[in-house]
Amino acid sequence: MNTFSPGFQGRTHRFEGRLPPGQYPTEDFPVLSAGPTPNVPTDSWTFSVVTEDGTARDWSWEQMKALPQEEPEVDIHCVTRWSKFGTRWQGVPFDAFLDDVETAADFVMAESYGGYTTNLPLEDLQDGKAWLVHTYDGYPLSPEHGGPARLLVPHLYFWKSAKWVRRIRMMPDDDPGFWESVGYHNYGDPWREQRGWSD
């Protein structure tokens, strides 16, 4: 797989101010996963938000698609050092799932079909900073990229945008997820190069 598509070299100035330190631009969309790709049919897919006291709100695929939809166009940054500019998605702003949710939690754990987990501060899912997306570049999100639906948190390294997400669980205290428990940074800000524990 080419790091740079033909003609890309010499044009990185187009993205001045958009490329975090230590990253390189790519027009590819590399596939990186912690395990096998789950196959989740949309007719059995569900998504839940669970508060710290165990109260759950659930959405079927049809209910999720009936929620307000947005089409964010964002840059994404992988901890393996590639950045992809102007990616186009469609999905539900995460604020829509938090309407009427009563919680005192400051943190969440994103839990995926297949067992993957990643932790985030709740505030990083609020105020238009995150989405549950089901469409990429005009097409249904492919399984290898997290379909049928994934979390999109573009201001953090992309491992925080959990593929195949099925539940967000509120936590009063922060706990590490899959990659965080083996040495990845707990927060993952690409502009501060927060790749590992010591960064």
Side-chain angles (χ1 to χ4, degrees):
M1 181 179 298
N2 293 330
T3 299
F4 293 89
S5 295
F8 212 93
Q9 292 187 20
R11 295 195 292 129
T12 58
H13 65 278
R14 291 171 45 207
F15 306 110
E16 188 173 351
R18 293 169 63 183
L19 187 66
Q23 298 289 112
Y24 65 84
T26 183
E27 291 182 345
D28 294 325
F29 196 165
V31 175
L32 301 168
S33 301
T37 299
N39 180 17
V40 187
T42 56
D43 59 3
S44 61
W45 179 94
T46 60
F47 177 70
S48 303
V49 172
V50 183
T51 65
E52 64 271 33
D53 67 3
T55 302
R57 296 190 64 190
D58 304 306
W59 290 264
S60 67
W61 185 259
E62 292 76 15
Q63 290 168 331
M64 179 273 292
K65 293 292 291 288
L67 292 173
Q69 304 285 313
E70 293 183 354
E71 297 183 357
E73 183 171 324
V74 296
D75 301 339
I76 56 175
H77 311 289
C78 183
V79 71
T80 60
R81 300 187 183 274
W82 59 262
S83 290
K84 187 171 177 64
F85 298 101
T87 61
R88 298 186 304 114
W89 310 80
Q90 182 181 344
V92 179
F94 209 85
D95 295 298
F97 296 109
L98 299 176
D99 284 348
D100 303 321
V101 171
E102 295 185 10
T103 180
D106 292 323
F107 304 96
V108 303
M109 185 72 76
E111 301 177 349
S112 298
Y113 291 94
Y116 178 77
T117 59
T118 191
N119 58 309
L120 304 103
L122 176 58
E123 66 181 2
D124 285 276
L125 300 182
Q126 297 175 307
D127 301 322
K129 296 192 289 284
W131 295 264
L132 181 75
V133 292
H134 52 74
T135 299
Y136 174 73
D137 206 19
Y139 294 93
L141 187 59
S142 62
E144 61 267 25
H145 287 302
R150 73 177 296 159
L151 196 59
L152 177 64
V153 190
H155 65 282
L156 300 179
Y157 280 125
F158 213 43
W159 91 79
K160 293 290 188 176
S161 295
K163 295 181 180 181
W164 318 296
V165 66
R166 66 181 181 90
R167 180 166 61 191
I168 295 293
R169 180 169 50 85
M170 307 290 183
M171 303 187 297
D173 300 305
D174 200 10
D175 286 320
F178 177 84
W179 286 118
E180 297 83 6
S181 66
V182 296
Y184 279 40
H185 196 276
N186 201 50
Y187 186 62
D189 182 346
W191 293 97
R192 297 167 66 186
E193 291 197 85
Q194 293 178 333
R195 304 176 192 277
W197 282 344
S198 61
D199 296 330

